[in-house]
Amino acid sequence: MSDEEFFSLLDERGADLAGWPVHLREDAAALLERSARARAGLKAMQDVDSLLALSAPAPHFDANGVAARATRQSQASRSIMSPAVRKLSFAAAGALSLAAGILVGMTPPSGTAIVGSVQMALNGGSNDVW
Amino acid sequence: MLGDTDDALVQQVARGDRLAFARLVERHGGRLMALAVRIVGSRAVAEEIVQETFTRAWIAAPKWQHKSGSARAFSAWLSRVATNLAIDQVRKPAAVPIEASPEPADPATDAVDALIAGEKLARLRAALAGLPPRQRAAIALTYDQGLSNIEGAAALETSVGAFELLLVRARRALRAAMTEDEA
């Protein structure tokens, strides 16, 4: 294993060599014995890991304030109808549409329409001559 | 128990339950805050991002109950929204560079700085600030949030391979910065 190969593995897998596959770990250990540059690279990556852990941003924040402001800001964007009411509205609209369709279907055609239909039938499907 | 799961709380939020919403904010707000601070470098801006994330959650809750599936789906959705908002914030032309907007004094951080010879930490912070926003987000999602590459990729809405590449590049840059520090 060369220094460059070791650095590539460091960038891919991090500085915790215990998590590397056994054969890579053994090659890395051999390299670290003989290469000061590899040791410096490993030390740098270990520093990165530990400094990132130590400098993790504190999670504290004003939870109550955030919750209150978020609901206040978004109140206008949120429909005033609850999901249940919305479902009922959709169902009512659907039922009304269905009833209207049935009503229209049951209504007999007007007299003029009947005359037109008979004339079209007598004329073999075309009413051009009329 | 279903009553305390994210999905159960989101369903209550969908019905306008503010207490359930407050519980969700308390449960997830801290980690979102840490995520946003790491990406944007400012607690004030990060708090705005967290608030916007939860505003969107409140608005999206009525729709959420129809598409939620896994136990961590809501948590992952929050991470995705917060990450995207933070990256957008950093990419804004008027965004204040991280180094120019240090966090307010935090006694805990000050103590840490002193313990580990603040110069090294400053070097790392400068290197972090120099990373492209998506690389910084990959670092935050992996190191601070403890997400797997699969979860991190989902949060950044990218492939696992692309996420791993972001991490490799970020680590390389940070390692180089710390190696210079050694020299």
Side-chain angles (χ1 to χ4, degrees):
Chain A
M1 181 182 287
S2 68
D3 285 352
E4 297 312 320
E5 287 169 333
F6 177 69
F7 294 148
S8 292
L9 288 165
L10 266 185
D11 298 335
E12 284 170 26
R13 299 175 177 276
D16 183 10
L17 302 190
W20 291 23
V22 174
H23 69 285
L24 291 177
R25 205 162 61 220
E26 287 169 356
D27 286 354
L31 175 70
L32 288 166
E33 289 270 321
R34 65 176 188 271
S35 169
R37 191 165 164 248
R39 287 194 295 275
L42 177 62
K43 174 72 169 55
M45 189 58 96
Q46 286 169 338
D47 282 348
V48 169
D49 285 355
S50 57
L51 289 172
L52 281 173
L54 286 169
S55 66
H60 60 74
F61 75 113
D62 175 16
N64 292 335
V66 165
R69 285 191 296 273
T71 50
R72 201 164 49 235
Q73 278 181 5
S74 57
Q75 202 63 48
S77 310
R78 183 100 166 250
S79 167
I80 54 168
M81 286 194 298
S82 71
V85 173
R86 264 202 304 277
K87 276 182 194 165
L88 274 177
S89 303
F90 282 126
L96 275 175
S97 302
L98 185 64
I102 291 170
L103 195 64
V104 168
M106 288 173 64
T107 305
S110 69
T112 313
I114 292 172
V115 170
S117 301
V118 171
Q119 284 171 345
M120 206 166 80
L122 289 171
N123 196 35
S126 167
N127 59 359
D128 285 351
V129 293
W130 299 90
Chain B
M1 184 178 162
L2 183 69
D4 200 34
T5 64
D6 281 355
D7 274 358
L9 290 174
V10 174
Q11 285 180 22
Q12 292 167 42
V13 171
R15 294 191 290 271
D17 186 334
R18 286 163 192 261
L19 280 178
F21 185 64
R23 289 194 70 185
L24 282 174
V25 171
E26 194 148 342
R27 181 178 293 176
H28 296 285
R31 67 174 183 83
L32 295 180
M33 186 71 185
L35 174 65
V37 169
R38 185 71 98 181
I39 298 173
V40 301
S42 153
R43 294 198 74 83
V45 176
E47 189 154 321
E48 285 175 20
I49 287 166
V50 172
Q51 181 161 325
E52 175 61 22
T53 302
F54 281 111
T55 299
R56 293 184 185 200
W58 174 266
I59 293 169
K63 295 174 194 165
W64 178 264
Q65 58 187 334
H66 299 297
K67 58 185 179 185
S68 60
S70 79
R72 297 187 64 178
F74 182 70
S75 168
W77 181 84
L78 287 174
S79 294
R80 188 159 62 245
V81 172
T83 302
N84 285 333
L85 288 172
I87 288 174
D88 289 348
Q89 180 66 36
V90 173
R91 283 179 173 162
K92 278 184 188 171
V96 182
I98 285 180
E99 288 167 281
S101 57
E103 292 181 28
D106 180 336
T109 309
D110 287 348
V112 168
D113 284 17
L115 273 173
I116 56 174
E119 200 181 321
K120 266 191 176 181
L121 190 56
R123 180 67 68 99
L124 180 82
R125 283 185 171 149
L128 268 174
L131 293 179
R134 286 173 68 81
Q135 287 185 26
R136 211 181 305 157
I139 288 288
L141 290 165
T142 301
Y143 285 86
D144 300 333
Q145 306 287 300
L147 299 189
S148 68
N149 288 353
I150 294 172
E151 292 167 327
L156 272 180
E157 295 178 300
T158 190
S159 68
V160 175
F163 183 81
E164 287 171 350
L165 197 57
L166 286 170
L167 261 184
V168 165
R169 288 176 175 164
R171 283 194 186 117
R172 185 180 305 148
L174 297 179
R175 177 173 57 78
M178 299 315 290
T179 305
E180 285 169 17
D181 192 49
E182 293 295 314

